[in-house]
Amino acid sequence: MGSGRRSPATRAGVCLLSCICLLSCNGAEESNTPPSLPTITIGSGGGVTGMRKGCQIDSAGMVTTFQGFSAGADSLLSKRKLTVAEGEALRAAIAVQGAQDWQSDERGNLTSWAQLTMDSTSQRWTWSGNSPPESAPEEFVNWLIVAGNLCRGEGQ
């Protein structure tokens, strides 16, 4: 063995091990890329001051909270990236049958809103007050709560 030559069995083993490593690494890379999320914007505002406060979760899982007045630009309050588990929980809550079926276009002194954009389709809901009205189905309220918790940094 001093000549530096490897036996055919050793070369075959090294080749097999290299192939396994390449296939394992390539497969892991593909499975770590989570699918994109819908873009969600939730918030509330109005009243005497016209102040609004809200949060947006974009398709890459970036969570941005903001506040502003109707006459000016919004101020950024915080920004963070969702974990893979948080993104999966949000995606699952939105996918529940009936979660997007409710319709609401109410306005009041204080108006809350939610907007959901998936692919090229966008839905917007508005309602009076801080909490969804009793007419909102549980499936809608559930994904709204999940998104609100993620906006506040209270992961799933």
Side-chain angles (χ1 to χ4, degrees):
M1 280 263 156
S3 67
R5 296 179 131 203
R6 293 192 176 129
S7 72
T10 303
R11 284 189 300 233
V14 168
C15 183
L16 180 61
L17 185 59
S18 297
C19 288
I20 290 171
C21 288
L22 284 173
L23 291 173
S24 296
C25 292
N26 191 22
E29 181 180 343
E30 290 175 16
S31 66
N32 284 338
T33 305
S36 66
L37 291 165
T39 298
I40 297 170
T41 306
I42 59 174
S44 62
V48 176
T49 65
M51 186 171 148
R52 65 182 180 275
K53 191 172 185 178
C55 171
Q56 182 177 51
I57 302 171
D58 70 15
S59 61
M62 187 60 65
V63 180
T64 306
T65 58
F66 58 87
Q67 74 178 17
F69 294 93
S70 47
D74 291 337
S75 297
L76 175 70
L77 298 177
S78 67
K79 199 168 190 170
R80 74 176 187 94
K81 178 93 167 143
L82 291 178
T83 66
V84 172
E86 289 171 331
E88 288 172 359
L90 180 60
R91 201 176 290 106
I94 291 168
V96 169
Q97 175 109 18
Q100 302 169 43
D101 295 343
W102 183 59
Q103 302 292 317
S104 180
D105 190 21
E106 297 176 8
R107 300 221 183 341
N109 183 39
L110 176 65
T111 301
S112 294
W113 69 86
Q115 184 167 336
L116 175 67
T117 304
M118 295 173 48
D119 302 320
S120 61
T121 304
S122 186
Q123 284 182 269
R124 184 171 173 88
W125 300 267
T126 60
W127 59 93
S128 180
N130 277 330
S131 53
E134 294 193 17
S135 64
E138 181 180 338
E139 297 84 1
F140 174 83
V141 173
N142 182 53
W143 80 255
L144 193 63
I145 290 170
V146 169
N149 289 344
L150 293 172
C151 285
R152 289 186 297 278
E154 302 167 8
Q156 298 296 307

